[in-house]
PDB file of all heavy atoms in Angstrom:
ATOM      1  N   VAL U 145      -2.587  10.075   9.319  1.00 93.00           N
ATOM      2  CA  VAL U 145      -2.301  10.805   8.088  1.00 93.00           C
ATOM      3  C   VAL U 145      -1.791   9.910   6.967  1.00 93.00           C
ATOM      4  O   VAL U 145      -2.069  10.162   5.795  1.00 93.00           O
ATOM      5  CB  VAL U 145      -1.286  11.938   8.381  1.00 93.00           C
ATOM      6  CG1 VAL U 145      -0.897  12.653   7.104  1.00 93.00           C
ATOM      7  CG2 VAL U 145      -1.871  12.917   9.389  1.00 93.00           C
ATOM      8  N   VAL U 146      -1.044   8.875   7.283  1.00 96.00           N
ATOM      9  CA  VAL U 146      -0.376   8.065   6.250  1.00 96.00           C
ATOM     10  C   VAL U 146      -1.237   6.847   5.914  1.00 96.00           C
ATOM     11  O   VAL U 146      -1.338   5.912   6.717  1.00 96.00           O
ATOM     12  CB  VAL U 146       1.024   7.609   6.730  1.00 96.00           C
ATOM     13  CG1 VAL U 146       1.774   6.933   5.586  1.00 96.00           C
ATOM     14  CG2 VAL U 146       1.823   8.790   7.270  1.00 96.00           C
ATOM     15  N   PRO U 147      -1.877   6.820   4.740  1.00 97.00           N
ATOM     16  CA  PRO U 147      -2.768   5.700   4.411  1.00 97.00           C
ATOM     17  C   PRO U 147      -2.080   4.342   4.418  1.00 97.00           C
ATOM     18  O   PRO U 147      -2.688   3.329   4.767  1.00 97.00           O
ATOM     19  CB  PRO U 147      -3.268   6.049   3.006  1.00 97.00           C
ATOM     20  CG  PRO U 147      -3.124   7.533   2.907  1.00 97.00           C
ATOM     21  CD  PRO U 147      -1.887   7.860   3.695  1.00 97.00           C
ATOM     22  N   THR U 148      -0.800   4.294   4.026  1.00 97.00           N
ATOM     23  CA  THR U 148      -0.116   3.007   3.922  1.00 97.00           C
ATOM     24  C   THR U 148       0.331   2.456   5.278  1.00 97.00           C
ATOM     25  O   THR U 148       0.914   1.372   5.329  1.00 97.00           O
ATOM     26  CB  THR U 148       1.103   3.117   2.983  1.00 97.00           C
ATOM     27  OG1 THR U 148       1.839   4.312   3.276  1.00 97.00           O
ATOM     28  CG2 THR U 148       0.651   3.149   1.534  1.00 97.00           C
ATOM     29  N   THR U 149       0.082   3.194   6.366  1.00 96.00           N
ATOM     30  CA  THR U 149       0.295   2.621   7.699  1.00 96.00           C
ATOM     31  C   THR U 149      -0.964   1.929   8.197  1.00 96.00           C
ATOM     32  O   THR U 149      -0.996   1.441   9.326  1.00 96.00           O
ATOM     33  CB  THR U 149       0.714   3.706   8.715  1.00 96.00           C
ATOM     34  OG1 THR U 149      -0.322   4.695   8.816  1.00 96.00           O
ATOM     35  CG2 THR U 149       2.009   4.367   8.294  1.00 96.00           C
ATOM     36  N   ASP U 150      -1.988   1.892   7.365  1.00 96.00           N
ATOM     37  CA  ASP U 150      -3.242   1.198   7.677  1.00 96.00           C
ATOM     38  C   ASP U 150      -3.278  -0.089   6.847  1.00 96.00           C
ATOM     39  O   ASP U 150      -3.301  -0.034   5.615  1.00 96.00           O
ATOM     40  CB  ASP U 150      -4.431   2.093   7.326  1.00 96.00           C
ATOM     41  CG  ASP U 150      -5.770   1.487   7.732  1.00 96.00           C
ATOM     42  OD1 ASP U 150      -5.814   0.290   8.083  1.00 96.00           O
ATOM     43  OD2 ASP U 150      -6.777   2.215   7.703  1.00 96.00           O
ATOM     44  N   PRO U 151      -3.284  -1.254   7.488  1.00 96.00           N
ATOM     45  CA  PRO U 151      -3.273  -2.511   6.714  1.00 96.00           C
ATOM     46  C   PRO U 151      -4.495  -2.669   5.819  1.00 96.00           C
ATOM     47  O   PRO U 151      -4.442  -3.398   4.831  1.00 96.00           O
ATOM     48  CB  PRO U 151      -3.219  -3.598   7.797  1.00 96.00           C
ATOM     49  CG  PRO U 151      -3.706  -2.936   9.042  1.00 96.00           C
ATOM     50  CD  PRO U 151      -3.288  -1.498   8.938  1.00 96.00           C
ATOM     51  N   ASN U 152      -5.599  -1.992   6.153  1.00 96.00           N
ATOM     52  CA  ASN U 152      -6.778  -2.065   5.291  1.00 96.00           C
ATOM     53  C   ASN U 152      -6.483  -1.484   3.909  1.00 96.00           C
ATOM     54  O   ASN U 152      -6.970  -1.998   2.895  1.00 96.00           O
ATOM     55  CB  ASN U 152      -7.938  -1.301   5.935  1.00 96.00           C
ATOM     56  CG  ASN U 152      -8.415  -1.947   7.214  1.00 96.00           C
ATOM     57  OD1 ASN U 152      -9.116  -2.941   7.191  1.00 96.00           O
ATOM     58  ND2 ASN U 152      -8.012  -1.398   8.349  1.00 96.00           N
ATOM     59  N   ALA U 153      -5.708  -0.393   3.862  1.00 97.00           N
ATOM     60  CA  ALA U 153      -5.376   0.236   2.581  1.00 97.00           C
ATOM     61  C   ALA U 153      -4.425  -0.633   1.778  1.00 97.00           C
ATOM     62  O   ALA U 153      -4.633  -0.865   0.577  1.00 97.00           O
ATOM     63  CB  ALA U 153      -4.769   1.616   2.825  1.00 97.00           C
ATOM     64  N   THR U 154      -3.372  -1.113   2.417  1.00 98.00           N
ATOM     65  CA  THR U 154      -2.387  -1.912   1.679  1.00 98.00           C
ATOM     66  C   THR U 154      -2.989  -3.242   1.228  1.00 98.00           C
ATOM     67  O   THR U 154      -2.717  -3.702   0.116  1.00 98.00           O
ATOM     68  CB  THR U 154      -1.140  -2.166   2.539  1.00 98.00           C
ATOM     69  OG1 THR U 154      -1.506  -2.857   3.740  1.00 98.00           O
ATOM     70  CG2 THR U 154      -0.478  -0.852   2.922  1.00 98.00           C
ATOM     71  N   LEU U 155      -3.823  -3.841   2.076  1.00 97.00           N
ATOM     72  CA  LEU U 155      -4.455  -5.100   1.687  1.00 97.00           C
ATOM     73  C   LEU U 155      -5.479  -4.877   0.581  1.00 97.00           C
ATOM     74  O   LEU U 155      -5.631  -5.721  -0.314  1.00 97.00           O
ATOM     75  CB  LEU U 155      -5.120  -5.747   2.908  1.00 97.00           C
ATOM     76  CG  LEU U 155      -5.633  -7.177   2.728  1.00 97.00           C
ATOM     77  CD1 LEU U 155      -4.498  -8.108   2.313  1.00 97.00           C
ATOM     78  CD2 LEU U 155      -6.279  -7.686   4.012  1.00 97.00           C
ATOM     79  N   GLY U 156      -6.162  -3.739   0.617  1.00 96.00           N
ATOM     80  CA  GLY U 156      -7.111  -3.428  -0.450  1.00 96.00           C
ATOM     81  C   GLY U 156      -6.420  -3.319  -1.794  1.00 96.00           C
ATOM     82  O   GLY U 156      -6.902  -3.861  -2.805  1.00 96.00           O
ATOM     83  N   MET U 157      -5.275  -2.627  -1.839  1.00 97.00           N
ATOM     84  CA  MET U 157      -4.521  -2.522  -3.100  1.00 97.00           C
ATOM     85  C   MET U 157      -3.985  -3.883  -3.525  1.00 97.00           C
ATOM     86  O   MET U 157      -4.026  -4.231  -4.720  1.00 97.00           O
ATOM     87  CB  MET U 157      -3.376  -1.529  -2.925  1.00 97.00           C
ATOM     88  CG  MET U 157      -3.824  -0.087  -2.782  1.00 97.00           C
ATOM     89  SD  MET U 157      -2.451   1.093  -2.754  1.00 97.00           S
ATOM     90  CE  MET U 157      -1.742   0.726  -1.140  1.00 97.00           C
ATOM     91  N   ALA U 158      -3.492  -4.659  -2.572  1.00 98.00           N
ATOM     92  CA  ALA U 158      -2.943  -5.974  -2.901  1.00 98.00           C
ATOM     93  C   ALA U 158      -4.030  -6.908  -3.434  1.00 98.00           C
ATOM     94  O   ALA U 158      -3.793  -7.681  -4.366  1.00 98.00           O
ATOM     95  CB  ALA U 158      -2.278  -6.588  -1.671  1.00 98.00           C
TER      96      ALA U 158
END
Side-chain angles (χ1 to χ4, degrees):
V145 176
V146 188
T148 45
T149 61
D150 185 348
N152 294 283
T154 59
L155 190 58
M157 290 186 289

